[in-house]
Structure formats: C-alpha cells, structure tokens
Amino acid sequence: MKITLSTGRVVETKEGESILESLKKAGIFLTSSCGGKGVCGKCKIIVQSGDVESRSHIKLSSEEIRQGYALACMTSPLGEITIDIPKQSILTVEGQIVTGKAKDLLAMLNSAGGDIDPLSERIVLQLPKPTLDDNISDLERLKRELFANGLGCLRVPSRFMSNLAKTVRKKDWEITLSAIHSEDCYEITNIFPGNMKVPQYGIAIDIGTTTIVVYLIDLTDGQLVDVASIYNSQIRFGDDVITRIVNATEHGEMEHLHNAVITDINELISILVSNHKIDTESIDTIVVSANTTMTHFFLNLDPSAIREEPYIPTANVFPLSHAGEIGIEVNSKVPVYSFPCVASYVGGDIVSGVLATRMHKSEDMSIFIDIGTNGEIVIGNSEWMMAAACSAGPCFEGSGIKHGMRATEGAIENVKIDPDTFDVEIKVVGDNAKPMGICGSGMIDAIAEMFLTGVINQKGKMQKDVSDRVRDGEDGLEFVIHYEDKRDIVLSEPDIENIVRAKAAIYAGFSTLLNEVGMTFKDVQKVYIAGGFGKFLSIEKAIILGMLPEMPKEKFEYMGNTSVTGAYFCMLSRKLRSEAEKISKEMTYVELSVNNSFMDEYMSGMFIPHTDIDSFPNVKKLMEK
Amino acid sequence: MKITLSTGRVVETKEGESILESLKKAGIFLTSSCGGKGVCGKCKIIVQSGDVESRSHIKLSSEEIRQGYALACMTSPLGEITIDIPKQSILTVEGQIVTGKAKDLLAMLNSAGGDIDPLSERIVLQLPKPTLDDNISDLERLKRELFANGLGCLRVPSRFMSNLAKTVRKKDWEITLSAIHSEDCYEITNIFPGNMKVPQYGIAIDIGTTTIVVYLIDLTDGQLVDVASIYNSQIRFGDDVITRIVNATEHGEMEHLHNAVITDINELISILVSNHKIDTESIDTIVVSANTTMTHFFLNLDPSAIREEPYIPTANVFPLSHAGEIGIEVNSKVPVYSFPCVASYVGGDIVSGVLATRMHKSEDMSIFIDIGTNGEIVIGNSEWMMAAACSAGPCFEGSGIKHGMRATEGAIENVKIDPDTFDVEIKVVGDNAKPMGICGSGMIDAIAEMFLTGVINQKGKMQKDVSDRVRDGEDGLEFVIHYEDKRDIVLSEPDIENIVRAKAAIYAGFSTLLNEVGMTFKDVQKVYIAGGFGKFLSIEKAIILGMLPEMPKEKFEYMGNTSVTGAYFCMLSRKLRSEAEKISKEMTYVELSVNNSFMDEYMSGMFIPHTDIDSFPNVKKLMEK
C-alpha cells in the first residue's frame, strides 16, 4: 500500500501500520510528545482522499474532523490514500539557523579560550607485523606502539578485545583508535581497521524539563553541523519535575520516564544522522547538560529523595558513563559526559549556562537567569557565586499556554499593538512562515503591549470594551493576536495569569537572592538571560512586564539557550570541562522554599509591573502617558 | 506430573520437559558434556516404570535399550514414571575429599607467605544522615565517608548508582560495599544495605582442555568449601585446542565454543551454591587459570592467530573483566581475574602451576611438568625460567581411552598384576565405590605392570597367550583389568598406543628443554608433576613406562592439579597475584614445533621405557628379572 503526500512524495505502508510509523520509516518525523499513544494530539494530518481507520480522535475538534484531520499515530490506511501534513505537525529540525549560529559558537569558544580538544580523540597507528622473533600478543603490540608514541596506559574494553586479532590484521596492521583519556589512562571507545581519523562527530544535548535540544558537532573543526529539538515527551508524566518524580517513585513509572527521554534523544539523533548521511560509528562523544532531576532520569538514577526535605540527589557529580548503559543508540562504548550539578534544584544546565556566560571569569558582579520550566538564578563573579531556584512554570516554552509554542518556525516572536486602532503587527520565526502560535518573547511583547494599550490592567484582567479583538473564548476572555482562516491565535486571561505568576517568581528570585547577600540591583553590572525565548527577547518589554528589574538596557544580555552552548563548550574543550567542574564545586546553593521573604516578594510581583511601582520609574512614566 | 527416583525422592516435571531439565531444577545434576544436545551419551538413566518419549537413542547399545536405558536429555515422561540414575551419570562433585584438601591448601598458602587479602573486599560504613545543612548527594556522602576512613577514590558503576538512594536509606544509612582496589581507586562491585561483611565467597576455576574444575572458597578465612568438576563440553568441537580453533574460526563456532565453557562453569557454580545453600550475591570474586587458547575462548577473544605462525594470541595479559561481560551467572559486576599467559602454547595454567610449586622462589634447579591435554614443561629457578609445550593428548584425563575417566569416584587409580596368576588387584577412588573406569594413574600402573609381567612388549603390543585376560575386543586385543557383570573394564591395544605416544612426547619435552640449556637430568634437583592423575601417582611406574626420567624417587613431587591451586592462591593473596604477574613476564618460551631434536627424542620415546635403555638402568634390571 502507498501513502501519497500532497507534495507528491510517495511513502510505503502496510496493513495495520499507523501513518506515524510509515512516515517515520520514510524519514519524515512528526511531533509526538506522547510517543505515539494518541494523547498529545500533536501529530495531526489531513486525509485528502482514500479510506482510513482511526482508533481515536482525541484533541481534534469536530470541525477539524469534518475537514479530514486525523491523528497520524491513531490512524492506519485501509487502501491507497493521499494526505497533507500541516507544518505544525512536522518535528522541528532547526537546520535553517545553523550557519549563523555555527560561526557565533566557534567565536564564543575561541574567546572562552577553548581549543578543539574533544573528550574523545582518534589515534592512527601503524603496528609492526609480528614475526617468530617478535611474537608478543596483539594487545601488547598495541600498547608498545602507544608507548612508543608517548601515550601511556591503555584499557581495552572486552567488546573490542574480542575482535582485536581481526581488526589489526584487516588493513595490514594499520588501525585507528577512538579513545578517551581519563585518570592517566586511555580507554578505547572504538577501534577501526585502517585510517579513520575523519569523520568524527559529537552530540551535545540540553535536556530541559519541557524541551530537548540536540546539537550535531563536527569534532575535527568544532563546527556545529545541525540542530534538532523536540518537546520532552516526559510531559505526559507531568509538566514539572516534582510531578514526574512522584510518578516515577510512587506510581512505578521510573523506567517509562527514563525511556521517554532516551527515546526522544534517539529520535533526534536519528533525524540528524539521517539528514546528514552520517554513520553512527563516527559519533565519538556525547555531552549532556540538564537540571538535576532530568540528569537523574537520563542516567536512570532514583530521584525520589530530591523532592523530600532535605532534598538530596543520588549524585551531583556523575561518573563518565557509556551510551550502551543508558540506551543511546550509537556505539555502546561512546563516553557520555553529564554536567555536574550543584544541588537538587540547581543543575548541570545552570553550571553549563554560567560556563557559557563566562561570568565566573569576570570581576564584575553579574546575575545569570535561565528561564525554562524552572527559573534558576546565579549571582556572583570570579570570586564567589550563589544560586537559587524559583518555580516559574513552563509557559515561556509554550507549555500551558493555549497557543503557546517553542521559538521554532511559525512562532510569533514579536508583537506590536497600535494604541489607537489595536491593529497587531507580528514577526514570525522563519522566512515567510505562516504564524502557528506564540513563543516566550512574543508573549512578553504581547502582554507588555496589551498593558500599555489598556487591553489588560495591572492585575492582568482584560477590558472587554477596549477593542473587538477582545472576545469571549473557550477559557474566558481572550485577545486575538492574529486572525487566521482556520484558527485565530489568541492569548486568554488564564494564559496571562500563568505568565504573570511566572514573571513574579522570577523577579522574586532576583530580589531575594540579592537581599541574601545584602545587595541591590544597583550593585549589579551585568544581567545574562537565558531561555527558549525567540531570537530577539525584548528587554524593555520584559521590564514593563516586571519580569526583569529596571536597569540600563546595556546591562542586559540575552544569550538564548546557554545550556546547550555550555554542552558544546565542554564537548570540544578539556579546559572548559575543568572550568565546569570548578563552577559546580564552588557555587553555593540557597534554598528559597524555606525562605520567608521569597513568598512576600512573589506576592508583590503579581502586579504588572510590580506592587512597588517606584522601583520601575520608567514604566511608571510610560503608564502615565 | 512426577518422576520418582529409585531412592524414593520425587521430582516435579511437566509435559515436554526433558528428564535432564526436570532433574536439574530439583538440584540433581547429570553429566552432559554436549549441553543436553543428545550427542555425548553421558546422561544415561534407566526407566524402571511408566511411559516415556525418547527423541534419540544415540550412544546406547541395543542391549542397554532393552534394559530400559535412555538419555535423560532426549527423553520426556508421558505420565508418572520411576527411574534409576546410574552413578556414572551423576555429575561429580568431589565433596568427599574436601576436608583434607582444605587444610593442605591453607597450609600451602601460609607457607607461600600469602595472607588472606582477596581480590574483592567488603567495607561496612555507617553514613551520617543528611540534613538541610549537610545536604551533599548520596554519592558524595559515600565518598566522604570512605575518605574519612582513609580509603581513596571510588568508582560506582551505573548499575549500583541507579538504586543508591534506596540502598543507603534501607538500613538507616548503614551499608556494605564489595569493592576491588585497582589503580589507586576502589571500584564497587556490589552494594548491600546494612552489615553484610559475611558471608563472602570466591570461585577459583581451572579450565583445562579436557576437564574443568571449580573451587568454592570462603573468602573470610580462606577455607576451601567444596570442589566440583566436569568434562569440558567443548570436547564436542574437538579433543585438542587446534581442532577447536579451526572450528571456531573457520566453521563459525566461536560463539558456541565460548558458550560451552561458560555453560559448564555456570553449571558447576550452580551445583556448588545449591549444595551449600549460598546466595550468589555473596560471591565476590572469580579467578580463572587456563591455557592460552582456553582463556581466549573463556573471554570470547578471537583465537585464530594462535594456530598460525608466528603463533600470536590476542593477549597474554588480560584486563580484569566482569562476570556479566562473560556470561557467568553471578552478580554481573563480580571481577574476573584471568591468569596472565606466557605465549600461545604456555598459558596461565602453567604460570599458576609454577606459583603453586614455589620453584620461582628456590635456588634449586627444578622442572615442572603439567600433564593435561597438552604437556607443558618449565625448567629453571628463582633466577630464570624456560618453558615449552609438547602435545601429549588428553588420554591421562580419560579422554580417548575406551574406559578412561577422570580421577573421580569409581575410577581405578592403582593396578597391581600378579606375575604368576595374572590376577589384578585394584584400588578405586571413593569409599567402597564400584569401579566404573580407569584414570591416569591407573593407566600408568596398568601398563607398567603389563609390561613387567609380559602382557605387552616394549612396543606396547599384547601377547595373546600369556593370560586369558588378554582377549579379542571391539578394537583389537584387550586386557581385562576388572570383570564386571554388565561391562568389563579393559585396556585395549589402541588405548596403550595412545598412552605410549603421550609419554613419549612428555619425555621428549624434558630432554629437549634440558638440551637447550646445556643440562642433563643430573643437574635437576626437583621434578614437580601436576595433572589430573589419581590421588596417588606412582612415580616408579611412571619411570618404568618411560614417562618420567630415572632419578631418585625423593626428587619427584606429585602435586595434583596445580592450576587450580594457583588460582586459589591468587584469589586469596595480593602478594601471590603480583608473583604470578612476575612469573608470566619473566618466563622465556621455547617453540618445540620448530625444533628438530624434539622430533628425534619423540621417536626414541615410542618404546617402553625408551630406545636408549641405558638411561633407565633400574628398569633394565627389572626387565632382566
């Protein structure tokens, strides 16, 4: 049987196989946060002709069903069919933004002083052929040659010992070793006959609670080859880490949570290697940056004690592990470096972020904030650093917001509202892309603009009569940001409530941490902001919203996803790996959940921009206009 | 369904399950060299009542079939049945000889200066409970406590990391680590909640080409607890290492050869732990002593280059491996120490043997010979050592001899022939055991006596009219050693031919190696003999046969299985482990296969005792009598 796509491409299928599966086999990957279980409703397709059998229509409106929409994971063809795949359903591979990013990353690496010195190196050796007089074993011959090349001891895992005799003889005693250098000893991670110095790739991974991002990196020159990202399909076990830990430890879902994240990563890697026609044997290293709980799920470590006072993780510093132990589908001996964490709620993603900002090398007092599903804040300089966590919720990554989405193609990333006509001007990620939803930076823009134009008040409540873009929606009042034939893109009152709660938590985090060290915003020279916002986070709008403190604009720097940048750094540079270890060791963790002033600060932040309007003098002026 | 044994014991079975399987589940182990494939014919049982279905009667005579004999592996009950298990079919566990041996071994260990310092140690720790102020991770807590106890770095394999949080909390922060100390670092091999200092066991294994012997050792006091042995079921892939390598590399049987030896070892371990009601989690260490080829098969290393000039093994020194990598069914992280080898044909069993003799610590010039399937000879003292190999064949282990068997219960181990009446007096292994076959020492006795009484001539040919014990058998002339209702025990002319070839190779090995260093037997102060002969190898008879040189009796010492003794030493003592590594490094290997004088010596040895009768003056006198 065949499925014909609206693009003309034809895909093979067989009876009973879901359309999701058939497309996957053909290298076409749809979003399926729930892992193809008919729960998330993300893999929508439109059946244009032919008969299909659908086991579920969950998450589809009756209008959509009339139009031929179906869930690819729940639908199988009953004969030849033709389908259309809406852009929203296609798993995002951010190939288009790589060229610029690759140069930026290399420049950042250079300015951080990192040479290309990856975790795993390749060594080409020409061994002398054995004779009756030189009859030492193959392993001793290999060790002797390494020693002669000035390289020290050698550990050969049994996997490679088994075929060593064949491997060394295959290309006339020339071989290539992939090896990692640890504790004064080379550990072989792969052996190839002949000269296989290139190609050699690495995989840098940021596992966010909501989003997973994977970089494919050429280890020979440090170039970023491509990027792929996906929603973390653990979302079906809860939006936040606490719910997931409860599911893992009290409802026996540990294995499923581990498998969910591993499956996501394997999917992203398989997309990248298939798009670039790379042999997985040429992948030599994996570096993972993630919060403490995500690192536990990734490494299959029991996270149960993380959520109970006194909040103890199994480990903060993780031994180097191997792909095979964890389930990553590359050569099983590929070393997996997991970023060291600081405490249960300040993880490797924050260490990685600090590494990317370089604040640990500066005398200036800096603040670093990473706004993901949690907000984590670090304050300090090259002499000391303190860190804390504040639960911001996943809204800025698009989760829990009606039309929220990540900052990928089709996301509204900038919003401007005309104060007279209430016409909305938008900017969308991707050249000529059709708007499909709104990402973090778009939300901040939209709410700041809605506030300035009087669409919402200081409490975030909508004023119905201001414009006909304000209307009654499914979840109460909503504001139409973009009119579209099939589906208008809106922000609803509950959406705004979510965002205000998030920004209040972030601002409270800042102030509480500064209070702890007896400082104010005036003492801060630099604020680094990280997170999955759009390419252009508007600092002014974030200040109007009251998420960021009112400070001169030049003190702010928006860094994008610093977690994956730090992973990229560590993948390539030994020097930066040891910096990361130093950062994790020297950072002091402050527990905000037992801090009374944090709760007070949070409550004060539930206004736009803040209850204490005098700390926002410029916003006050704007409001008065 | 039930199987009732003639002893009255009842064993559960189910439809389609072989009797071999059902017995195994009940802890009754039958010999099955072929792994239950209906090939070796060793698992014979007698069905006394009830219906059975047999898929094969291979290796059973029509007389046996009439008597109700069946192969347990090929036979399943069709209803309730009663069976008898002949003694020969029961897998030998040499429990009865342990008491004496255990004391001997401990005394040997003491006199070798080995303290009880096993490869794996158990460390009991009481960790302080975490608090909000002392909130380091579980792993750091563990490391801190080890450090406080003066113990250094720590590697925790992911298998134990996964449940570390639960393990440390289970018995109120008291835990026991099993750990090996390597390269200045502890590597955890097991973690238990609470105090599990005892019990702690080790498994010492001698993998011979023909026989596998396993010792169960109490690591807390060094006591030998029990011994089990079995024919190496690789025999179905060939009697000697060369045939097996050909099968492995040219007929794709590598995996089967590896699995065969692992299955044998697992079977022996499961017998020992079930007999002594031991939890396999209390097994902490495995030490293996074997020749180079057997070590390759055991570790699943490609042995193909061993048999081709210039005879190169994959390795002579093996990295510590883990039970799980190899397939041994104990805790997968149990360290497996494989004895270092010297060359392709002088293996870890010889290094282990030298360690057991202590000749490497003596100034006296000594010879060590291990007569297994191959004969390996070492000559030297504390200053130098040379080693060579001579193919003796497996006959002294009972293989290739019509009624040959290992020196286990029922084996005729001493033979005396009355020169007048030709009545034969025998001694059998085991109290009141019924004779079932003849082992190595019995063969040597028998042939020497047959030679002295004129039953055979100097060429080993039988004289038909000497006695009515000489008769025509299936394979030509044979001499009845023991009359028995069902099956007389005989030695045939082809048996004697085999044994004479073997002794000729051994004697040629001695003389050639001495020639190489310009010495004669007169320069030798001590001859250590190892091998799977009976308890009492008669040196006089071995000299009459011409297997050993004519020297004063007190210069000879029969040591039994030195390979497993050395494994026992290394299991318990760190000092002796480093001695073993030193022996393997310093021994010089002499290749006899390219040595012309070896072939000449071999041909001269094909007479009883030898072509050069003058080198055996006392035997000459006896012959003249």
Side-chain angles (χ1 to χ4, degrees):
Chain A
M1 283 197 303
K2 284 182 172 56
I3 301 171
T4 309
L5 309 189
S6 52
T7 57
R9 185 167 167 194
V10 176
V11 167
E12 282 297 323
T13 182
K14 56 186 180 194
E15 218 185 302
E17 189 172 75
S18 76
I19 295 173
L20 185 74
E21 270 306 304
S22 313
L23 292 176
K24 195 172 173 176
K25 287 183 187 163
I28 301 164
F29 299 89
L30 303 192
T31 318
S32 59
S33 313
C34 68
K37 296 201 164 45
V39 175
C40 70
K42 304 256 174 174
C43 63
K44 289 176 194 172
I45 51 156
I46 304 161
V47 181
Q48 297 176 317
S49 70
D51 286 337
V52 297
E53 185 180 28
S54 283
R55 276 165 293 141
S56 169
H57 287 301
I58 204 164
K59 299 264 178 175
L60 294 177
S61 67
S62 42
E63 176 55 30
E64 284 177 323
I65 296 171
R66 249 194 314 277
Q67 290 171 6
Y69 276 87
L71 298 178
C73 67
M74 289 287 119
T75 305
S76 308
L78 294 171
E80 310 280 298
I81 61 167
T82 311
I83 64 167
D84 181 44
I85 308 173
K87 265 203 166 166
Q88 300 95 303
S89 301
I90 295 180
L91 194 72
T92 311
V93 181
E94 300 180 4
Q96 72 280 7
I97 59 161
V98 160
T99 324
K101 200 178 249 173
K103 279 187 194 145
D104 291 352
L105 278 170
L106 261 180
M108 285 173 77
L109 182 70
N110 286 336
S111 83
D115 294 329
I116 308 283
D117 180 12
L119 207 55
S120 178
E121 62 181 295
R122 293 210 170 184
I123 304 159
V124 182
L125 293 175
Q126 178 63 57
L127 305 174
K129 229 172 144 165
T131 63
L132 269 176
D133 293 324
D134 176 21
N135 63 353
I136 57 172
S137 71
D138 295 336
L139 182 64
E140 286 165 292
R141 188 167 305 273
L142 189 53
K143 288 185 175 182
R144 187 177 66 181
E145 200 59 24
L146 273 178
F147 193 78
N149 280 266
L151 306 166
C153 94
L154 178 75
R155 268 198 296 272
V156 185
S158 53
R159 189 188 149 190
F160 304 111
M161 287 277 284
S162 302
N163 284 313
L164 187 60
K166 282 210 174 54
T167 310
V168 293
R169 286 166 181 80
K170 195 164 180 183
K171 295 259 179 174
D172 211 18
W173 298 88
E174 185 182 43
I175 57 161
T176 303
L177 309 178
S178 286
I180 47 171
H181 196 258
S182 68
E183 293 152 29
D184 297 325
C185 203
Y186 279 90
E187 179 165 332
I188 290 192
T189 58
N190 217 339
I191 303 191
F192 306 91
N195 185 330
M196 288 289 285
K197 188 89 180 171
V198 289
Q200 191 200 16
Y201 294 99
I203 298 284
I205 307 171
D206 163 47
I207 308 174
T209 309
T210 305
T211 307
I212 298 174
V213 180
V214 171
Y215 276 15
L216 173 67
I217 298 156
D218 186 331
L219 294 179
T220 60
D221 60 6
Q223 283 280 345
L224 173 63
V225 178
D226 207 347
V227 180
S229 66
I230 197 176
Y231 273 118
N232 185 334
S233 52
Q234 289 184 337
I235 290 170
R236 67 177 187 273
F237 300 98
D239 279 341
D240 55 77
V241 297
I242 298 299
T243 318
R244 292 187 203 167
I245 294 175
V246 170
N247 269 308
T249 58
E250 293 179 9
H251 307 136
E253 301 280 9
M254 181 62 202
E255 200 189 325
H256 294 136
L257 275 146
H258 170 68
N259 290 343
V261 64
I262 298 301
T263 306
D264 286 346
I265 292 170
N266 282 332
E267 195 128 302
L268 292 174
I269 293 176
S270 82
I271 290 172
L272 290 172
V273 301
S274 109
N275 282 357
H276 294 272
K277 298 189 175 41
I278 286 170
D279 179 359
T280 52
E281 289 288 306
S282 65
I283 294 174
D284 265 8
T285 318
I286 293 172
V287 173
V288 171
S289 165
N291 67 48
T292 312
T293 304
M294 288 302 116
T295 309
H296 276 59
F297 282 129
F298 173 72
L299 294 173
N300 207 8
L301 308 179
D302 179 3
S304 53
I306 287 179
R307 75 179 181 95
E308 286 162 0
E309 213 184 296
Y311 315 113
I312 307 292
T314 292
N316 278 319
V317 178
F318 309 92
L320 205 64
S321 50
H322 295 106
E325 295 174 310
I326 303 167
I328 305 223
E329 289 163 356
V330 299
N331 160 14
S332 71
K333 286 292 172 197
V334 162
V336 178
Y337 176 89
S338 305
F339 258 85
C341 297
V342 176
S344 277
Y345 296 106
V346 171
D349 51 347
I350 301 309
V351 173
S352 179
V354 168
L355 186 73
T357 66
R358 318 298 301 144
M359 64 185 275
H360 61 294
K361 288 288 175 188
S362 162
E363 286 175 15
D364 289 348
M365 185 57 51
S366 305
I367 292 185
F368 166 63
I369 177 154
D370 188 356
I371 303 169
T373 306
N374 244 349
E376 291 99 346
I377 301 169
V378 181
I379 177 169
N381 58 17
S382 53
E383 282 169 26
W384 60 268
M385 259 183 259
M386 289 181 79
C390 50
S391 290
C395 60
F396 292 121
E397 293 182 74
S399 192
I401 302 295
K402 193 180 171 74
H403 292 142
M405 66 181 287
R406 280 171 301 136
T408 53
E409 190 166 316
I412 298 173
E413 57 173 344
N414 281 129
V415 174
K416 217 175 149 49
I417 304 177
D418 186 298
D420 300 321
T421 63
F422 296 92
D423 283 349
V424 182
E425 195 183 306
I426 57 170
K427 211 179 156 310
V428 176
V429 178
D431 298 334
N432 304 316
K434 214 177 91 178
M436 295 189 302
I438 185 162
C439 69
S441 61
M443 293 173 205
I444 291 168
D445 270 17
I447 298 177
E449 292 277 308
M450 286 157 81
F451 174 65
L452 291 180
T453 54
V455 174
I456 54 172
N457 65 15
Q458 277 199 285
K459 290 180 179 166
K461 293 294 162 204
M462 260 175 219
Q463 311 299 304
K464 200 170 177 178
D465 307 324
V466 169
S467 154
D468 49 7
R469 281 185 180 249
V470 178
R471 67 186 191 192
D472 282 309
E474 280 174 351
D475 310 313
L477 290 176
E478 62 185 27
F479 180 81
V480 183
I481 290 174
H482 178 74
Y483 289 105
E484 181 77 46
D485 279 357
K486 286 177 189 159
R487 197 189 64 152
D488 300 333
I489 297 170
V490 304
L491 270 181
S492 68
E493 268 192 349
D495 289 344
I496 293 167
E497 220 170 277
N498 262 333
I499 295 166
V500 169
R501 266 201 298 269
K503 76 96 186 170
I506 292 166
Y507 190 84
F510 281 127
S511 357
T512 313
L513 206 53
L514 278 170
N515 281 347
E516 283 282 322
V517 293
M519 286 186 175
T520 69
F521 286 114
K522 289 201 173 62
D523 300 308
V524 176
Q525 271 97 50
K526 195 87 194 179
V527 180
Y528 298 100
I529 303 158
F533 301 105
K535 216 166 171 179
F536 307 103
L537 171 72
S538 162
I539 301 298
E540 293 97 326
K541 302 288 166 69
I543 295 172
I544 294 169
L545 178 61
M547 181 176 100
L548 298 179
E550 209 178 284
M551 285 167 64
K553 200 191 158 186
E554 61 276 11
K555 287 196 174 181
F556 292 97
E557 187 171 344
Y558 173 57
M559 308 271 297
N561 183 335
T562 49
S563 173
V564 73
T565 303
Y568 167 86
F569 278 15
C570 273
M571 159 136 306
L572 289 167
S573 158
R574 186 183 300 200
K575 173 176 169 284
L576 296 176
R577 278 194 296 282
S578 60
E579 281 186 21
E581 276 145 35
K582 193 162 177 285
I583 293 168
S584 81
K585 256 185 225 147
E586 295 180 358
M587 205 182 282
T588 309
Y589 173 68
V590 179
E591 181 64 54
L592 291 187
S593 72
V594 294
N595 189 308
N596 289 330
S597 72
F598 176 75
M599 213 50 207
D600 296 340
E601 290 284 350
Y602 176 67
M603 293 313 292
S604 307
M606 294 290 279
F607 266 59
I608 302 172
H610 198 268
T611 312
D612 174 20
I613 187 71
D614 291 328
S615 53
F616 288 81
N618 289 323
V619 180
K620 196 178 174 188
K621 268 183 228 159
L622 279 173
M623 283 165 67
E624 283 159 4
K625 269 200 266 181
Chain B
M1 283 197 305
K2 285 181 172 56
I3 301 171
T4 309
L5 309 189
S6 52
T7 58
R9 185 166 166 195
V10 176
V11 167
E12 282 298 323
T13 182
K14 58 185 179 195
E15 218 185 301
E17 188 173 76
S18 75
I19 295 173
L20 185 74
E21 270 305 304
S22 312
L23 291 175
K24 194 172 175 178
K25 285 182 188 164
I28 301 165
F29 299 88
L30 305 193
T31 317
S32 58
S33 314
C34 68
K37 296 202 165 41
V39 176
C40 71
K42 303 257 172 170
C43 63
K44 288 177 194 175
I45 51 156
I46 304 160
V47 181
Q48 296 174 319
S49 71
D51 286 337
V52 296
E53 184 180 28
S54 283
R55 274 164 295 140
S56 167
H57 288 301
I58 203 163
K59 300 264 178 176
L60 294 178
S61 67
S62 40
E63 176 54 28
E64 283 176 321
I65 296 171
R66 249 195 312 280
Q67 290 170 7
Y69 275 89
L71 299 179
C73 67
M74 289 287 120
T75 305
S76 308
L78 293 172
E80 310 280 298
I81 60 167
T82 312
I83 64 166
D84 181 45
I85 308 173
K87 264 202 169 170
Q88 299 95 304
S89 302
I90 295 181
L91 195 71
T92 310
V93 180
E94 300 180 5
Q96 71 279 7
I97 59 161
V98 161
T99 324
K101 201 177 250 176
K103 277 187 197 147
D104 292 352
L105 278 170
L106 260 181
M108 283 173 80
L109 181 70
N110 287 337
S111 83
D115 294 326
I116 308 284
D117 180 11
L119 206 56
S120 178
E121 62 181 295
R122 292 210 172 185
I123 304 160
V124 182
L125 293 175
Q126 178 64 55
L127 305 174
K129 225 171 147 167
T131 63
L132 270 176
D133 294 323
D134 176 22
N135 64 353
I136 56 172
S137 72
D138 295 337
L139 182 64
E140 286 165 291
R141 190 166 303 275
L142 189 53
K143 288 184 174 181
R144 187 178 67 183
E145 200 60 25
L146 273 178
F147 193 78
N149 281 267
L151 306 167
C153 95
L154 178 75
R155 267 197 297 273
V156 185
S158 53
R159 188 188 150 190
F160 305 111
M161 287 277 283
S162 300
N163 284 313
L164 186 61
K166 283 212 174 51
T167 311
V168 293
R169 284 165 182 82
K170 195 165 182 183
K171 296 259 179 173
D172 212 19
W173 298 89
E174 186 183 43
I175 57 160
T176 303
L177 309 178
S178 287
I180 48 170
H181 196 258
S182 68
E183 294 152 28
D184 297 325
C185 206
Y186 279 89
E187 178 164 334
I188 290 192
T189 58
N190 217 339
I191 303 190
F192 306 92
N195 185 329
M196 288 289 284
K197 188 88 180 171
V198 289
Q200 192 200 16
Y201 294 98
I203 298 284
I205 307 172
D206 163 47
I207 308 175
T209 309
T210 304
T211 307
I212 299 174
V213 180
V214 170
Y215 276 14
L216 173 67
I217 297 156
D218 187 333
L219 293 180
T220 60
D221 59 6
Q223 284 281 346
L224 173 64
V225 178
D226 207 347
V227 180
S229 66
I230 196 177
Y231 272 119
N232 185 336
S233 51
Q234 289 185 338
I235 290 170
R236 68 177 187 273
F237 299 98
D239 279 341
D240 55 77
V241 296
I242 297 300
T243 318
R244 292 187 204 170
I245 294 175
V246 171
N247 268 309
T249 58
E250 291 178 11
H251 307 137
E253 302 280 10
M254 181 63 203
E255 201 188 324
H256 294 135
L257 275 146
H258 171 68
N259 290 344
V261 64
I262 298 300
T263 306
D264 287 347
I265 291 170
N266 282 333
E267 194 128 303
L268 292 174
I269 293 176
S270 81
I271 292 172
L272 290 172
V273 301
S274 111
N275 283 357
H276 294 273
K277 296 185 179 44
I278 286 170
D279 180 359
T280 51
E281 288 290 305
S282 65
I283 295 174
D284 267 7
T285 319
I286 293 172
V287 173
V288 171
S289 165
N291 67 47
T292 312
T293 304
M294 288 301 119
T295 309
H296 277 59
F297 282 129
F298 173 72
L299 294 173
N300 206 9
L301 307 180
D302 178 3
S304 53
I306 288 179
R307 75 177 179 97
E308 284 162 1
E309 213 183 295
Y311 316 112
I312 307 292
T314 293
N316 278 318
V317 179
F318 309 92
L320 205 63
S321 51
H322 295 106
E325 295 172 311
I326 303 167
I328 305 222
E329 290 163 356
V330 299
N331 162 13
S332 70
K333 286 293 172 194
V334 161
V336 178
Y337 177 89
S338 305
F339 258 84
C341 298
V342 176
S344 277
Y345 296 107
V346 171
D349 51 347
I350 300 310
V351 173
S352 180
V354 167
L355 186 73
T357 66
R358 317 299 301 146
M359 64 185 273
H360 62 294
K361 288 287 175 189
S362 161
E363 287 175 15
D364 289 349
M365 185 57 51
S366 306
I367 291 185
F368 165 63
I369 178 157
D370 188 357
I371 302 168
T373 307
N374 243 349
E376 290 98 347
I377 300 169
V378 181
I379 178 168
N381 59 17
S382 53
E383 282 169 29
W384 59 269
M385 261 184 256
M386 288 180 81
C390 50
S391 290
C395 61
F396 292 121
E397 293 182 73
S399 192
I401 302 294
K402 192 180 173 76
H403 292 141
M405 67 181 288
R406 279 171 304 133
T408 53
E409 190 167 318
I412 298 173
E413 58 173 345
N414 281 128
V415 174
K416 220 177 148 46
I417 302 176
D418 187 296
D420 301 321
T421 63
F422 294 95
D423 281 350
V424 182
E425 194 182 307
I426 59 171
K427 211 177 154 312
V428 177
V429 178
D431 299 335
N432 305 315
K434 213 177 93 177
M436 295 190 301
I438 185 161
C439 70
S441 60
M443 294 174 204
I444 290 169
D445 270 17
I447 297 178
E449 292 277 308
M450 285 159 80
F451 175 64
L452 290 180
T453 54
V455 175
I456 55 174
N457 65 15
Q458 276 200 283
K459 290 180 178 168
K461 293 292 161 205
M462 261 177 219
Q463 313 299 307
K464 201 168 176 177
D465 307 325
V466 169
S467 155
D468 50 10
R469 283 186 179 248
V470 177
R471 67 186 191 193
D472 281 310
E474 281 174 350
D475 310 313
L477 287 177
E478 62 186 26
F479 180 80
V480 182
I481 290 175
H482 178 73
Y483 287 106
E484 181 76 44
D485 279 357
K486 285 178 189 160
R487 197 188 64 154
D488 299 335
I489 296 171
V490 304
L491 271 181
S492 69
E493 266 191 350
D495 289 343
I496 293 166
E497 217 169 280
N498 262 333
I499 295 166
V500 169
R501 264 201 299 268
K503 75 97 187 170
I506 292 166
Y507 191 84
F510 281 127
S511 359
T512 313
L513 206 54
L514 277 170
N515 282 348
E516 281 284 318
V517 294
M519 288 187 171
T520 70
F521 286 114
K522 288 199 173 62
D523 301 308
V524 176
Q525 270 96 51
K526 195 86 194 178
V527 180
Y528 298 100
I529 302 157
F533 301 105
K535 217 167 171 179
F536 306 103
L537 170 72
S538 163
I539 301 297
E540 293 97 327
K541 301 287 167 69
I543 294 173
I544 294 169
L545 177 62
M547 180 174 100
L548 298 179
E550 209 178 281
M551 284 166 64
K553 200 191 160 187
E554 60 278 10
K555 288 197 174 180
F556 290 96
E557 186 171 344
Y558 174 57
M559 308 272 295
N561 183 335
T562 50
S563 173
V564 74
T565 303
Y568 168 87
F569 278 14
C570 273
M571 158 136 307
L572 289 166
S573 159
R574 186 182 302 198
K575 172 176 170 281
L576 296 176
R577 278 194 296 283
S578 60
E579 280 185 21
E581 276 145 35
K582 194 162 176 284
I583 293 169
S584 81
K585 256 183 228 150
E586 295 179 359
M587 206 182 277
T588 309
Y589 173 67
V590 179
E591 181 64 55
L592 292 187
S593 71
V594 292
N595 189 308
N596 289 330
S597 72
F598 176 75
M599 213 51 209
D600 296 342
E601 290 285 349
Y602 176 67
M603 293 313 295
S604 308
M606 293 289 279
F607 266 59
I608 303 174
H610 197 268
T611 311
D612 174 21
I613 188 71
D614 291 328
S615 52
F616 288 81
N618 288 324
V619 180
K620 193 177 176 187
K621 267 184 226 156
L622 279 174
M623 283 166 67
E624 283 159 1
K625 267 203 266 182

